[in-house]
Amino acid sequence: SIPIAKQLASIKVLGKSSDLEKAFATTALVYNNAADPDGKLSKAETKSLLQTQFGAFIQGQENKPKYQEIISALDEELEKKIDFEDFMILLVSLSLMSDLLQEIKNVKTTK
């Protein structure tokens, strides 16, 4: 498996890209590396990927009803697969409810 940083470096257009573009490309690469040949993840694989790659955002969210709703949806209908669009919706949903988001908002930038 080729490290994500090396995969990013191989995409020439990203060399002069913004931080946001690189962050999105990283997300796409992480997803694609875990996806099956059809570009999809099983719900179990999605749950595992979220836990291993998005743990700082979901840590401490286990008791929130919305988090439980999202995760229980991944535990149901295991034969249905998640595509990249649905995965991004999950990431945004989990990010918006995360305590880490408030901490990020509170970070002060200096020049």
Side-chain angles (χ1 to χ4, degrees), residues 19 40 57 61 66 72 76 79 89 97 101 104 110:
D19 291 340
K40 296 186 178 186
F57 276 89
Q61 306 308 302
K66 185 66 178 168
S72 65
E76 297 169 5
E79 66 278 353
I89 292 168
M97 71 167 60
L101 183 61
I104 291 167
T110 58

Side-chain angles (χ1 to χ4, degrees), residues 77-92:
E77 298 180 44
L78 292 176
E79 66 278 353
K80 186 178 177 197
K81 296 210 170 189
I82 304 290
D83 61 15
F84 184 67
E85 180 179 327
D86 290 335
F87 182 74
M88 291 303 295
I89 292 168
L90 280 171
L91 286 183
V92 170

Side-chain angles (χ1 to χ4, degrees), residues 11-19 21-22:
I11 304 170
K12 292 186 187 338
V13 72
L14 290 178
K16 296 181 181 179
S17 293
S18 70
D19 291 340
E21 289 169 322
K22 288 176 185 173

Side-chain angles (χ1 to χ4, degrees), residues 4 7 9 48 60:
I4 294 292
Q7 290 178 28
S48 176

Side-chain angles (χ1 to χ4, degrees), residues 93-109:
S93 298
L94 292 170
S95 297
L96 290 173
M97 71 167 60
S98 176
D99 296 333
L100 181 56
L101 183 61
Q102 189 58 49
E103 191 175 325
I104 291 167
K105 287 178 180 179
N106 292 335
V107 170
K108 302 291 185 226
T109 58

